[in-house]
């Protein structure tokens, strides 16, 4: 019989990676991430379980304990991975929820498998949750889990958090199994979003599509109340500040600038290689400023780090080609031997190197066409200490609601992006430091543990303490 828990997290991925030790043994290692950092205290306090996919296809590993968390792997076959994850999650729901910036594809067999896999996750949660336990379901891959789980276990408190945007009614209505998805979410007691606007889209949709009544943010469903609300996610701010202040990271930041030829302005972009992130338009803005003579190679240099992502999905393959063509074009037209205009890394970098890059960059460009939050923007701010620096930020990132002292721009307007970049580059250092300090103060109080605590308090999970009380 499976170990039972009073607190259960259900997410597509488990917070662990399998690594091979120097002796050739396979071992599980925690994979660092904001979510697991935030939830770790709650999970250990409640003998919590995390249910998710461990990576790989075929049989799942047996459940195990790691650093005080019970890990409960869910299996996926190769075909399920293709249909549930790459298909329904990342070629239907992901583009649709991001303003359809790429055209969503709809396939019956994808949604059938999405249903099957969601049911498997719900069953795993029903199996490990104690009587009256709290279950917190994460993100767009698992939107049917709340209602499936409620049917199996009406005694549970169920929360759901959507990490990506929730679209306006007109867009959501495109989806062939729209009512089923909505009912899936309404199985939760609390549905959390990054933004107020997303929560409003959700309650309005419930009325529009299912004729449900709502008062404020509370929807009446079968005699129950389902609350919707905004809970903007954040980062482990103190940890990020500490990392960036580390002498080895500072030394590496200096070294990066030296290797770039100590230019006046280092411009940085860090993203998963995703079409929502606005990587191409950022490169294009940089190219046009070079062409206009407003920037010069040598004075200004750009680094673009793009983590490989969802490489088997067609839109992502096309994007890679487009981004790499643009990088090639810029370097071809403006680079000199030994001095490229853009340094492009199609790779993932470790946390230390990432912090050093943030510390080395005068201007950070975060220009998504649509983004639930965007944690890169917040990480950059936490890494600046008192050295100033400027954030160019898209109005369409959730982070723009909080980071008002950034240089905001409309990513659909190329001139607007160029203008914001130039203003950021030419701003007075004192002005930049002032802006940075305001945003840093905000992030110190609005960190990821506060996010988790606010959500769980609203869900009514009694005595969850944040680590300051622990
Ligand atoms: P993502 O779309 O993945 O997340 P983001 O919020 O920017 O986007 O998080 C990316 C994370 O990956 C950051 O912590 C960043 O440091 C890291 N990362 C990015 N590129 C990297 C690289 N090359 N090497 C190493 N690390 C890299 C989704 C939503 C967001 C929402 C988050 C959390 O799309 O809008 O903010 O979930 O809710």
């Amino acid at each position: 019989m499976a170990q039972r828990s009073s607190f259960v997290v259900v997410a597509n991925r488990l917070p662990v990676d399998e690594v091979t030790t120097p002796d050739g043994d396979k071992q599980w290692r925690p994979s660092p991430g904001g979510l697991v950092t935030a939830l770790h205290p709650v999970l250990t306090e409640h003998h919590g379980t995390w249910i998710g996919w461990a990576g790989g296809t075929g049989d799942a590993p047996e459940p195990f304990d790691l650093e005080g968390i019970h890990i409960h792997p869910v299996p996926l076959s190769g075909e399920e991975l293709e249909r549930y994850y790459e298909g329904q999650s990342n070629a239907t729901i992901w583009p649709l929820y991001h303003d359809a910036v790429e055209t969503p594809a709809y396939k019956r067999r994808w949604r059938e498998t999405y249903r099957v896999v969601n049911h498997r996750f719900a069953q795993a949660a029903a199996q490990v949750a104690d009587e009256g336990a709290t279950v917190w379901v994460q993100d767009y891959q698992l939107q049917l889990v709340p209602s499936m789980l409620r049917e199996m276990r009406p005694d549970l408190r169920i929360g759901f958090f959507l990490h990506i945007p929730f679209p306006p009614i007109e867009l959501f209505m495109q989806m062939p199994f729209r009512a089923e998805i909505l009912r899936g979410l309404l199985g939760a007691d609390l549905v959390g979003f990054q933004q107020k606007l997303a929560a409003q889209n959700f309650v309005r949709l419930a009325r529009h599509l299912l004729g449900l009544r709502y008062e404020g943010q509370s929807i009446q469903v079968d005699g129950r109340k389902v609350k919707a609300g905004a809970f903007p996610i954040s980062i482990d701010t103190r940890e990020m500040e500490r990392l960036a202040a580390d002498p080895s990271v500072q030394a590496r930041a200096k070294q990066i600038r030296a290797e770039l030829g100590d230019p006046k302005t280092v411009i940085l972009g860090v993203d998963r290689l995703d079409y929502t992130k606005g990587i191409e338009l950022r490169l294009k803005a940089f190219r046009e400023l070079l062409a206009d003579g407003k920037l010069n190679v040598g004075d200004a240099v750009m680094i673009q780090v793009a983590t490989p992502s969802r490489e088997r999905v067609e839109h992502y393959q096309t994007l890679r080609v487009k981004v790499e063509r643009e990088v090639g074009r810029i370097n071809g037209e403006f680079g000199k031997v030994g001095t490229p205009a853009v340094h492009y890394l199609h790779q993932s970098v470790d946390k230390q190197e990432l912090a050093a890059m943030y510390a080395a960059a005068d201007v950070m460009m975060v220009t998504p066409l649509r983004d639930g939050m965007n944690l890169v923007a917040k990480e950059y701010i936490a890494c600046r200490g008192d050295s100033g620096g400027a954030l160019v930020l898209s109005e369409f990132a959730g982070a723009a609601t909080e980071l008002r002292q950034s240089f905001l721009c409309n990513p659909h307007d190329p001139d607007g992006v160029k203008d914001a970049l130039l203003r950021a580059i030419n701003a007075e250092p004192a002005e930049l430091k002032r802006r940075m300090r305001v945003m840093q103060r905000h992030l110190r109080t609005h960190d990821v543990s506060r996010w988790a605590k606010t959500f769980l308090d609203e869900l009514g999970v009694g005595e969850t303490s944040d680590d300051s009380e622990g």
Side-chain angles (χ1 to χ4, degrees), residues 78-223:
E79 189 181 87
E80 285 167 348
L81 190 64
E82 187 198 319
R83 295 180 177 182
Y84 143 80
Y85 181 73
E86 291 166 354
Q88 184 64 24
S89 298
N90 288 320
T92 303
I93 298 170
W94 177 271
L96 183 70
Y97 283 27
H98 286 88
D99 285 355
V101 294
E102 285 289 354
T103 309
Y106 302 111
K107 296 222 164 105
R108 258 179 294 227
R109 59 176 187 277
W110 290 354
R111 46 182 190 273
E112 274 152 23
T113 308
Y114 185 86
R115 229 175 253 137
V116 169
V117 171
N118 271 242
H119 194 258
R120 186 175 306 149
F121 275 80
Q123 263 177 333
Q127 198 192 349
V128 303
D130 246 338
E131 182 69 25
T134 297
V135 179
W136 192 359
V137 184
Q138 309 285 328
D139 229 357
Y140 63 102
Q141 303 92 350
L142 301 174
Q143 293 174 96
L144 300 177
V145 170
S147 64
M148 289 173 165
L149 184 57
R150 177 163 302 279
E151 198 151 297
M152 297 171 196
R153 292 286 307 273
D155 58 298
L156 301 176
R157 249 353 248 163
I158 304 172
F160 180 91
F161 185 77
L162 186 69
H163 291 256
I164 68 175
F166 193 77
I169 294 179
E170 305 80 51
L171 267 180
F172 189 88
M173 294 301 282
Q174 279 191 13
M175 193 151 46
F177 77 145
R178 58 201 186 186
E180 190 179 340
I181 288 273
L182 178 58
R183 281 199 204 93
L185 292 169
L186 288 168
D189 296 291
L190 175 64
V191 185
F193 300 90
Q194 305 274 23
Q195 296 283 298
K196 274 201 191 120
L197 204 62
Q200 279 165 12
N201 287 342
F202 179 71
V203 289
R204 287 191 190 132
L205 178 74
R207 186 176 61 187
H208 180 85
L209 191 55
L210 302 177
L212 297 174
R213 293 172 48 167
Y214 68 87
E215 228 185 277
Q217 304 281 72
S218 202
I219 309 168
Q220 294 284 349
V221 189
D222 309 329

Side-chain angles (χ1 to χ4, degrees), residues 163 194 272 277 305 307 347 349 371-375 379:
H163 291 256
Q194 305 274 23
R272 269 188 312 101
K277 302 288 182 186
V305 190
T307 322
Q347 47 194 263
V349 294
D371 214 332
M373 175 55 63
N374 197 294
L375 296 179
E379 289 168 357

Side-chain angles (χ1 to χ4, degrees), residues 156-317:
L156 301 176
R157 249 353 248 163
I158 304 172
F160 180 91
F161 185 77
L162 186 69
H163 291 256
I164 68 175
F166 193 77
I169 294 179
E170 305 80 51
L171 267 180
F172 189 88
M173 294 301 282
Q174 279 191 13
M175 193 151 46
F177 77 145
R178 58 201 186 186
E180 190 179 340
I181 288 273
L182 178 58
R183 281 199 204 93
L185 292 169
L186 288 168
D189 296 291
L190 175 64
V191 185
F193 300 90
Q194 305 274 23
Q195 296 283 298
K196 274 201 191 120
L197 204 62
Q200 279 165 12
N201 287 342
F202 179 71
V203 289
R204 287 191 190 132
L205 178 74
R207 186 176 61 187
H208 180 85
L209 191 55
L210 302 177
L212 297 174
R213 293 172 48 167
Y214 68 87
E215 228 185 277
Q217 304 281 72
S218 202
I219 309 168
Q220 294 284 349
V221 189
D222 309 329
R224 292 185 302 121
K225 265 191 185 166
V226 178
K227 270 196 266 175
F231 302 87
I233 201 168
S234 195
I235 55 168
D236 188 349
T237 311
R238 293 278 172 200
E239 171 57 19
M240 209 69 213
E241 286 179 339
R242 192 199 55 70
L243 181 64
D246 190 286
S248 66
V249 169
Q250 286 296 323
R252 174 68 188 137
K254 278 211 184 74
Q255 189 187 19
I256 291 173
R257 291 193 71 101
E259 283 167 358
L260 294 169
D262 279 318
K264 248 193 341 225
T265 311
V266 175
I267 304 166
L268 176 65
V270 173
D271 315 78
R272 269 188 312 101
L273 187 57
D274 194 295
Y275 52 80
T276 60
K277 302 288 182 186
I279 301 171
E280 286 169 272
L281 68 93
R282 178 186 315 162
L283 288 165
K284 189 161 174 247
F286 183 57
R287 168 164 59 75
E288 289 191 8
L289 288 172
L290 291 171
D292 299 345
K294 301 249 171 62
L295 292 178
N296 294 308
V297 170
D299 285 348
V301 61
M302 187 165 190
I303 309 176
Q304 175 63 54
V305 190
T307 322
S309 180
R310 305 173 191 169
E311 288 178 289
R312 298 201 315 187
V313 180
E314 201 183 321
H315 286 145
Y316 290 77
Q317 294 164 357

